[in-house]
C-alpha cells in the first residue's frame, strides 16, 4: 500500500496522469501501470477516471489523507534529524567524578550551552567504579575519568595529566624539617620544577585517605607500597574534597592533585610537596565505547573539553 504512495500523491496533486508523469520523469503508461498495481493491492480504485479529469474515490480520499500524514511524519523526522546533526536539539549524557563535575565542568558546560542552548545535558556524578558500569551499560555517552578500563573496548581521548601532591597541615611540626621540599601552589600551577619529597620523610604522620575502590586511594596505596610504608590512617572518605577539608583542619596529610589548585580551591592551611615516586602523576581521559555511535553533540562537547584544557595549560 505504501510502496507507490508518492506516485499516487503526484497524480492527486497534478490532477492528471500526464502531468504527474512529467513531474516524475516517467512515461504516462508506466505511471498508469503503477497505479493499477496499487489499486489491485488495496482492492479498490483510488481515482475516478472520467476523460481527462481525475477525482478521488472514497477509498482514494482515505488513502491520500493517510499518505499526507505519512509524508508529514517523514518531513518532521528529517527535520528532527537535521536539527540533531546541526546541534539545534538533542541530548547529551556525561559521567564524571565529583570534583571534575563540581569545579571543572561548569565553565565548559556553560560555554557549550551558550553555543547550543537547546542541547539537554544530563550529568551523572559517581565514583569511578560506578561510572565504568554506566559506560558499559550504555547509560552515558562518555565519562571523564582515569579509570583503568578494558582498553580494547574503549576509546581514550587524552584530557590532562594531573600531578600528585601531598597536602600537609601547616600546624604539623614536620614541616620545619621539610622546608627545602616545600612548593607553593602558584609554582605548582606554573609547572615549576622543585625538589621531590621522599615519602619516608612523613612515614610517622597520620594520613587522611579516600576509601578503597577510588582511584586516588589506589595511587596512594602504590606510593606507600613502593616506599615500604604502612601508614597510620586517621580518616577515610568517599570524596576527595572531604579529605582536603579535614587535612586543612589538621587531622592528617592528604593526597590531592594540581587540578584542584588550578580549578578548585586554594587549600588554605596546607603546605604542598611533590612526592618522589614513580606514581607522581596520572592521566585523565574522555572515555567512550568503541561500539557506541557518538552524536554530533557528543563530539562537539568533547572538543570543548579538550580546548578548555589546552587554554588552561597555556596560562
Amino acid at each position: 500500500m505504501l510502496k507507490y504512495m508518492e506516485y499516487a500523491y503526484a497524480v492527486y496533486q497534478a490532477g492528471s496522469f500526464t502531468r504527474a508523469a512529467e513531474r516524475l520523469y516517467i512515461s504516462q503508461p508506466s505511471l498508469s501501470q503503477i497505479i493499477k498495481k496499487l489499486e489491485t493491492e488495496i482492492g479498490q480504485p483510488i481515482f475516478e477516471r472520467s476523460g481527462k479529469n481525475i477525482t478521488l474515490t472514497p477509498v482514494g480520499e482515505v488513502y491520500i489523507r493517510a499518505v499526507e500524514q505519512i509524508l508529514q511524519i517523514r518531513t518532521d523526522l528529517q527535520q528532527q534529524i537535521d536539527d540533531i546533526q546541526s546541534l539545534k536539539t538533542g541530548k547529551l549524557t556525561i559521567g564524571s567524578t565529583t570534583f571534575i563535575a563540581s569545579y571543572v565542568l561548569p565553565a565548559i558546560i556553560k560555554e557549550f550551552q551558550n553555543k547550543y542552548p537547546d542541547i539537554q545535558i544530563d550529568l551523572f556524578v559517581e565514583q569511578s567504579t560506578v561510572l565504568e558500569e554506566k559506560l558499559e551499560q550504555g547509560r552515558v555517552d562518555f565519562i571523564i575519568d582515569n579509570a583503568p578500563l578494558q582498553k580494547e573496548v574503549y576509546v581514550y581521548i587524552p584530557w590532562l595529566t594531573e600531578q600528585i601532591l601531598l597536602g600537609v597541615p601547616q600546624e604539623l611540626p614536620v614541616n620545619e624539617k621539610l622546608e627545602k621540599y616545600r612548593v607553593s601552589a602558584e609554582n605548582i600551577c606554573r609547572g615549576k620544577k622543585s625538589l621531590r619529597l621522599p615519602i619516608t620523610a612523613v612515614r610517622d604522620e597520620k594520613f587522611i585517605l579516600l576509601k578503597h575502590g577510588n582511584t586516588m586511594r589506589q595511587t596512594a596505596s602504590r606510593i606507600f607500597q613502593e616506599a615500604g610504608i604502612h601508614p597510620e590512617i586517621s580518616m577515610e572518605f568517599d570524596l576527595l574534597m572531604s579529605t582536603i577539608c579535614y587535612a586543612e583542619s589538621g587531622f592528617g596529610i592528604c593526597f590531592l592533585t594540581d587540578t584542584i589548585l588550578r580549578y578548585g580551591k586554594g587549600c588554605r592551611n596546607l603546605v604542598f610537596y611533590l612526592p618522589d615516586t614513580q606514581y607522581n602523576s596520572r592521566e585523565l581521559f574522555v572515555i567512550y565505547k568503541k561500539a557506541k555511535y557518538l552524536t554530533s553533540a557528543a563530539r562537539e562537547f568533547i572538543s570543548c573539553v579538550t580546548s578548555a584544557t589546552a587554554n588552561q595549560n597555556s596560562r
Side-chain angles (χ1 to χ4, degrees), residues 183-250:
V183 57
S184 68
E186 181 180 5
N187 285 340
I188 289 172
C189 292
R190 289 179 176 177
K192 188 174 181 179
K193 291 186 178 181
S194 178
L195 285 176
R196 289 193 170 272
L197 174 70
I199 197 70
T200 52
V202 289
R203 68 186 309 155
D204 296 326
E205 304 299 323
K206 294 180 180 179
F207 285 84
I208 304 171
L209 301 179
L210 288 169
K211 291 180 180 179
H212 288 285
N214 191 290
T215 54
M216 182 61 90
R217 175 60 178 264
Q218 295 171 1
T219 299
S221 297
R222 293 188 185 108
I223 293 173
F224 291 137
Q225 185 176 14
E226 178 190 49
I229 292 175
H230 299 283
E232 180 181 353
I233 302 173
S234 62
M235 291 180 170
E236 293 180 311
F237 293 99
D238 289 315
L239 301 179
L240 182 59
M241 296 312 297
S242 297
T243 68
I244 294 171
C245 288
Y246 277 83
E248 287 178 320
S249 296

Side-chain angles (χ1 to χ4, degrees), residues 1-7 38 41 63:
M1 286 188 188
L2 302 178
K3 183 177 181 181
Y4 301 119
M5 67 178 186
E6 291 180 340
Y7 293 94
L38 175 61
E41 184 175 346
Y63 181 81

Side-chain angles (χ1 to χ4, degrees), residues 163-166 178-198 261 271-277 280:
Q163 296 300 314
I164 304 297
L165 311 173
L166 281 178
L178 308 178
E179 180 68 32
K180 66 178 180 180
Y181 299 104
R182 188 178 299 190
V183 57
S184 68
E186 181 180 5
N187 285 340
I188 289 172
C189 292
R190 289 179 176 177
K192 188 174 181 179
K193 291 186 178 181
S194 178
L195 285 176
R196 289 193 170 272
L197 174 70
L261 301 183
V271 179
F272 302 110
Y273 303 93
L274 297 169
D276 187 9
T277 171
N280 56 28

Side-chain angles (χ1 to χ4, degrees), residues 54-80:
I54 299 293
T55 59
L56 292 172
T57 66
V59 169
E61 289 182 0
V62 172
Y63 181 81
I64 291 300
R65 297 291 85 78
V67 168
E68 287 178 332
Q69 292 178 38
I70 292 169
L71 293 175
Q72 184 60 52
I73 290 172
R74 187 172 69 181
T75 299
D76 292 345
L77 173 61
Q78 186 61 56
Q79 183 61 56
Q80 291 177 43

Side-chain angles (χ1 to χ4, degrees), residues 15 53 64 68 70 94 109 111-112 125 127-128 138 144 151-152 165 171 197 208 216 235 243 267 283 288 293 303 308:
N53 296 323
I64 291 300
E68 287 178 332
I70 292 169
I94 305 167
I109 292 175
E111 177 187 352
F112 181 83
V125 182
Q127 291 184 345
S128 296
I144 300 174
K151 290 198 173 183
E152 67 275 10
L165 311 173
E171 65 193 60
L197 174 70
I208 304 171
M216 182 61 90
M235 291 180 170
T243 68
C267 300
E283 299 292 329
Y288 63 91
Y293 169 74
S303 177

